[in-house]
Amino acid sequence: MAGIEEGADRVAELAKSSGRTIAVAESLTCGKLSAALGAAPDSSQWLRGAVVAYSSHVKHQVLGVPDVPVVSETAARAMAAGVRALLGADLAVAVTGVGGPDPQDGEPAGSVWLAVEGPAGTRTRHEHFDGDPTEVLRQTVEVAFDMLLAALDH
């Protein structure tokens, strides 16, 4: 992907042209993903909102993540389902992971789980990004946009 702004603009274009709405649940990225989408063209027409669930408590209590490690496929799936239902969106994207420098939940720094949920089901992806926390966050947002674009393209 060319970059965060370009990715957000592409998501905006496809969401608007398809008439679908998007919701975001993010932990690792702590608002970076939703802020980029909110800055994209016509976001008020297709962006339903976001939940920044940085703490495990919020993941469990607000988004319905079961009692599992919060850096896991199960958590990412639950976050996407939870925010989609909470905000009434057609599609939802969720990200959870370890920015570093220390491991978390038995996962090394750079380990990221992403999920996109929509009417066609849920797709997940596990990545292990290299770099410092800033680089891990950038790569996470770009992959989240790629996943949203794939879902919007169907």
Side-chain angles (χ1 to χ4, degrees):
M1 173 147 320
I4 290 175
E5 185 176 334
E6 294 84 2
D9 289 350
R10 288 177 55 206
V11 169
E13 181 181 323
L14 280 178
K16 185 177 175 187
S17 68
S18 70
R20 286 182 277 181
T21 57
I22 296 172
V24 179
E26 54 188 317
S27 177
L28 167 69
T29 50
C30 203
K32 290 180 86 57
L33 180 54
S34 55
L37 291 174
D42 302 311
S43 60
S44 64
Q45 296 177 25
W46 51 267
L47 181 61
R48 296 294 296 206
V51 173
V52 176
Y54 205 64
S55 84
S56 297
H57 177 78
V58 174
K59 289 178 192 74
H60 297 300
Q61 297 301 312
V62 176
L63 296 176
V65 173
D67 189 18
V68 298
V70 295
V71 180
S72 66
E73 180 179 15
T74 299
R77 282 179 175 275
M79 289 170 66
V83 80
R84 182 174 177 232
L86 182 67
L87 300 181
D90 298 313
L91 296 170
V93 60
V95 299
T96 184
V98 185
D102 299 320
Q104 179 183 346
D105 289 338
E107 294 283 338
S111 179
V112 178
W113 279 98
L114 304 98
V116 171
E117 181 179 287
T122 306
R123 293 187 179 146
T124 61
R125 187 165 162 181
H126 183 245
E127 294 285 344
H128 183 84
F129 297 122
D130 292 325
D132 64 19
T134 301
E135 184 61 18
V136 170
L137 297 182
R138 182 192 62 76
Q139 292 174 85
T140 300
V141 171
E142 289 180 355
V143 169
F145 287 158
D146 285 344
M147 291 178 71
L148 275 173
L149 289 167
L152 285 163
D153 205 28
H154 288 92

